[in-house]
Each structure stands twice: as structure tokens, then as C-alpha cells.
Amino acid sequence: MELTETQAQHAFRDEVRGFLQEQLPADLRHKVKELLRLERDDFVRWHNIIADRGWTGPTWPAEYGGTGWGPIERKIFDEECFLAYAPRLIPHVNMIMPVLQRYGTPAQKDRFLSRIWRLQDWWCQGYSEPGAGSDLASLKTRAERRGDKYIVTGQKIWTTWAHYADWMFCLVRTNPEGKPQEGISFLLIDMKSPGVSVRPIISIDGVHDLNEVFLDQVEVPFENLVGEENKGWTVAKYLLSHERTDLAAVGLCKRFMAYLHRAAERKTLRGRPLLEDARIQERIAQLEMELQAHEWTVMRVLSQDESGKNAGAAASILKIRSSELQQSITSMISEMAGPQGLRYVNEAREADWNGELPGGLFGNALVAHHLDWRKVTIFGGTTEVQKNIVSKSFLGL
Ligand SMILES: Cc1cc2nc3c(=O)[nH]c(=O)nc-3n(C[C@H](O)[C@H](O)[C@H](O)COP(=O)(O)OP(=O)(O)OC[C@H]3O[C@@H](n4cnc5c(N)ncnc54)[C@H](O)[C@@H]3O)c2cc1C
């Protein structure tokens, strides 16, 4: 395993850093750095800047405008974006795009691929249902074939950004008989279709990202079926393999460490910054060591990936470890806020808010971040489910 970057990788890091210095708009950087709320247009604007540079699809084949980067380049790109306080690229792009590339009909490719490239269509993921999360194959949203269309009825839940979305890639049941996995199909649903309604779920930090999506007799043309009818489970799993590749989150953890340092510099105890307190220094050092160890593990897995060996169940270990780290760092920030962290003003995270807060705007946002980040052990496969995978694959249990 190589722990240092090659000359070419080092040059690539410089190139990405230079691009970010020149092209990342100051207002977007400010919003991300101060943990202010990003709007739909902010994401679209950033996405288009990245598209102009040709970097939208790090994992796509060159014929679809992919970058041709290896896993180490992808890690470097992610890390630099996080450290520069760039907005995140919308993850759904790198879920639906590879699926359409592999399983889409020529007409679907023609219709959707170039629009995804520039985020002209915003996609959301309609997998989970009130009774189907970890046990996804038990989903019940029903699609009945009538002539050249499906009639879809059911409910999806936790649908991130459904209120922004133009389209939803959706798992539906087309056959209620037999093995649950064998009666599922993968449909593309226009969110403007009659019968689709979106209801917000406000999360613990007061933010509206999540939704319930209700489907009431929604007509979906047969041409919007991806892959074969009743073979949607294969398509769904292929998509999830792309969702899970970036869950190691080294760049994100480094950004959190930067927030932690900044909070420890700003927050004072008896007139001195917390950063000068030996106990705080010790805890920060501990987190830094853990993050360094995590990064080395990630590098080890990525090196194997580069030599053609799939990460497989090791990806679950990376997801568990990165979730633990993200939560430890955000918890420590919240602890440092002390009693000031007890009061949280949601409106203060709008860019145009100009009230006063005892802990300052940044402190207020960091507390929200701590609350929000409880989610990381749930989405993308819960920690318990990841542990099941590890125990089966590595321990043979
Ligand atoms: C912030 C956020 C965003 C999300 N965005 C989307 C989205 O855009 N689209 C979408 O489709 N879904 C989305 N989800 C849903 C997510 O995929 C599910 O929440 C997740 O799969 C868990 O399912 P569940 O919530 O139904 O919990 P359950 O599966 O009911 O699990 C409940 C508890 O039981 C445990 N458990 C379940 N099965 C086992 C087992 N076999 N062994 C041991 N323990 C077990 C779990 O670990 C958990 O602690 C999102 C979730 C969150 C939190």
C-alpha cells in the first residue's frame, strides 16, 4: 500500500485546488463555511461550474463525459472540495446516471443523460417506504400494467429533496407473488404527474430536506421502465453500489475537524480560547489520530480497488468508522458550546438573517449540525445492518 501521493497525484491535487480557488463563487463558499442554508439554485449553479470543467461524472465511462479518474483521484477531488468549502454535488446524479448508462434504453439515454449532466432535471430516490427500509425488498408500492402504462399507488418516505425534484427513480412492486426480490421493477416517475403529492418532514434541526411522497393512481408510461419488468432488484442493487462508494467521507471529516478547530479558537473559558486548554488539546489530538488511521484504512481499500479488487464488505467497515468519527467530532463541537448550545435559532441559518445570538451565528449552526448528524448512522444502510454484513463476510457468522 502506498501512503504518499505520486507526483502525478500531487499535481492533480494542485490542479483541483487551483480550480477551486478561481471558480468557487465567494458567496457559496461563505454559505458553506458559515453553515448557512443552501437553496436549490445554489446547488445548480455550482453543479454547472463543475460541468463546465468536465468533472461532473468521476465514475462514468469517457463516452458519457466521465473523467477517467481512479479511486485515489476521486478521493483527492472530494477532499479538496470539502476543504475549500464547496457545496456538495448532488449525490443522486451519480446514482441515476450509471444506472441509465448500463440499463437505460437508447430513448431513455437520449432523453435524460445530457440533462442530468447539467442538473437540468433534479432527481430523487424513491426506495424507502414506511414498512420497508433496511428490509427494502418488502416494499409495497404497487404498479399495475394497463396497456402501455403502469398505474402506481403507494407511499415513499424519507425522500431527500423530493420537493426540488423533477423526476424520481422509484422501486415498485409489479408482482406480489413469489420471492419479494423477484417482483420489483425500477420506474422513472415524472414528479409533475397527476396523483403525485409531496409532504415535508421537518428534521430535528428544523430543516426541510426530507419528505413523504404519496402516489395515487399515477400513470407512468411503459417506456419509463428501466431494465426488465420484475428485474428491478438487480438495477436497484447496482445503483446502491454507487451510493455507497463515497461513504468513507474522509474529506467531510476533515472539514468537520476544521469547524472544530475554529470553534475551539472562538469559544473562550475564563478569557482564554478553549484551544489553549490541555484537555481540549488532548481530545482534538485523539480525534486527529483516529481520523488519520481511518484515512490510512481508506487508502488501503482504495489501493486494492485500483488494482481491480472490489472493496466489497470493507466498504461497510469504512461506513461504520466514518459515521462514528463524524458523530464524535460534531458531538465534541456541541459540548464545547456549553449552555449556549441549548438555544438554537433555526432562522439564523438564512443568509439574510441579522439578529443577535449569544454563541454567535457560527456556534448556533454548529449545534444544529450536531443534531442533524445523528442521521449518518441510518442513511446509506444503518450501522447495525453494516455490522451484519461485516460479521457474515469477515467472521463467517
Ligand atoms: C437523512 C436521511 C435521508 C434519507 N434519504 C432517503 C432517500 O432519499 N430515499 C430513500 O429511499 N430513502 C432515504 N432514507 C431512508 C433510509 O434509507 C432508511 O432510513 C434506512 O434504510 C433504514 O430504514 P428504516 O428507517 O425503515 O429503519 P428500519 O429498517 O426499520 O430499522 C430500524 C432499526 O432496526 C435496525 N435493524 C433493521 N434491520 C436489522 C437487522 N437485520 N439486524 C439488526 N438490526 C436491524 C436498524 O439498524 C435500525 O436501528 C433516508 C434516511 C435518512 C435518515
Side-chain angles (χ1 to χ4, degrees):
M1 176 183 79
E2 200 49 70
L3 286 178
T4 49
E5 283 168 10
T6 62
Q7 248 184 350
Q9 285 162 351
H10 197 67
F12 175 67
R13 189 181 281 283
D14 284 344
E15 184 189 350
V16 176
R17 202 172 281 172
F19 164 79
L20 290 163
Q21 265 163 14
E22 269 175 34
Q23 299 291 327
L24 175 58
D27 62 321
L28 293 187
R29 182 172 190 276
H30 170 76
K31 277 190 175 181
V32 176
K33 193 168 180 202
E34 299 305 319
L35 290 157
L36 299 171
R37 201 106 62 220
L38 291 163
E39 308 295 335
R40 187 187 196 277
D41 287 350
D42 294 327
F43 289 111
V44 174
R45 181 152 59 109
W46 179 234
H47 196 94
N48 273 284
I49 294 171
I50 293 284
D52 284 341
R53 185 66 182 76
W55 286 349
T56 313
T59 57
W60 311 342
E63 61 176 306
Y64 296 116
T67 56
W69 295 339
I72 305 283
E73 283 77 15
R74 295 208 296 272
K75 173 182 171 286
I76 291 173
F77 176 72
D78 267 8
E79 209 171 292
E80 288 302 320
C81 287
F82 276 115
L83 290 174
Y85 299 105
R88 297 199 73 171
L89 292 177
I90 302 305
H92 302 94
V93 169
N94 272 307
M95 295 186 210
I96 186 63
M97 191 81 172
V99 161
L100 291 180
Q101 285 163 0
R102 177 178 282 203
Y103 295 100
T105 61
Q108 288 166 350
K109 289 179 183 173
D110 258 16
R111 180 170 180 188
F112 295 116
L113 290 184
S114 64
R115 296 184 62 81
I116 297 173
W117 173 254
R118 292 211 161 263
L119 212 63
Q120 282 164 304
D121 292 327
W122 188 298
W123 288 82
C124 65
Q125 179 183 29
Y127 274 29
S128 305
E129 297 182 4
S134 305
D135 181 17
L136 189 57
S138 65
L139 64 93
K140 291 202 168 52
T141 292
R142 187 84 176 95
E144 281 177 58
R145 182 83 189 266
R146 277 196 217 146
D148 59 356
K149 56 179 85 115
Y150 288 101
I151 307 297
V152 181
T153 300
Q155 186 198 340
K156 296 293 169 181
I157 196 166
W158 311 121
T159 325
T160 305
W161 292 322
H163 55 308
Y164 289 166
D166 304 294
W167 286 87
M168 172 165 69
F169 48 87
C170 187
L171 294 181
V172 293
R173 182 153 304 284
T174 33
N175 182 5
E177 313 290 330
K179 253 184 99 180
Q181 287 85 348
E182 287 165 12
I184 290 173
S185 300
F186 192 104
L187 285 187
L188 310 177
I189 300 184
D190 184 342
M191 294 295 279
K192 286 182 275 309
S193 313
V196 176
S197 49
V198 176
R199 194 191 291 167
I201 299 174
I202 305 301
S203 44
I204 193 169
D205 55 343
V207 169
H208 174 202
D209 282 340
L210 300 168
N211 299 278
E212 292 177 286
V213 178
F214 297 89
L215 303 154
D216 182 14
Q217 303 273 312
V218 178
E219 292 188 6
V220 180
F222 180 68
E223 67 203 34
N224 289 7
L225 173 71
V226 179
E228 288 174 51
E229 188 175 274
N230 296 327
K231 295 272 166 50
W233 191 245
T234 310
V235 184
K237 282 195 302 185
Y238 181 70
L239 183 142
L240 287 177
S241 71
H242 284 267
E243 181 182 1
R244 286 179 182 152
T245 46
D246 65 350
L247 292 171
V250 172
L252 180 62
C253 288
K254 288 188 177 175
R255 181 187 281 175
F256 284 173
M257 284 307 290
Y259 288 144
L260 173 62
H261 272 274
R262 195 140 56 103
E265 274 163 13
R266 286 188 188 182
K267 174 91 184 157
T268 54
L269 181 67
R270 288 186 278 279
R272 296 180 59 176
L274 275 184
L275 197 56
E276 292 176 13
D277 183 294
R279 285 162 306 173
I280 296 289
Q281 287 172 351
E282 194 182 317
R283 285 185 63 188
I284 292 179
Q286 180 66 37
L287 286 172
E288 271 168 0
M289 284 190 289
E290 288 177 25
L291 176 53
Q292 182 67 79
H294 175 59
E295 186 170 10
W296 284 339
T297 312
V298 172
M299 293 291 282
R300 186 150 51 91
V301 173
L302 292 184
S303 316
Q304 287 173 350
D305 201 7
E306 272 205 319
S307 55
K309 198 170 159 218
N310 191 287
S316 296
I317 295 180
L318 299 184
K319 158 87 192 333
I320 295 170
R321 197 62 201 114
S322 88
S323 306
E324 287 169 351
L325 272 169
Q326 290 167 55
Q327 293 193 339
S328 301
I329 303 168
T330 48
S331 295
M332 182 171 169
I333 293 172
S334 172
E335 273 177 57
M336 288 193 314
Q340 285 173 347
L342 293 175
R343 183 164 171 245
Y344 168 56
V345 179
N346 185 26
E347 299 72 39
R349 296 185 67 198
E350 303 299 338
D352 55 1
W353 195 80
N354 50 22
E356 292 261 333
L357 278 168
L361 292 182
F362 184 60
N364 181 64
L366 283 172
V367 170
H369 221 56
H370 160 74
L371 296 174
D372 182 33
W373 234 255
R374 303 306 96 192
K375 68 188 177 190
V376 72
T377 45
I378 304 172
F379 68 69
T382 67
T383 294
E384 292 76 14
V385 168
Q386 304 294 342
K387 284 184 177 170
N388 283 350
I389 296 172
V390 172
S391 67
K392 272 194 201 131
S393 305
F394 291 111
L395 308 174
L397 297 174

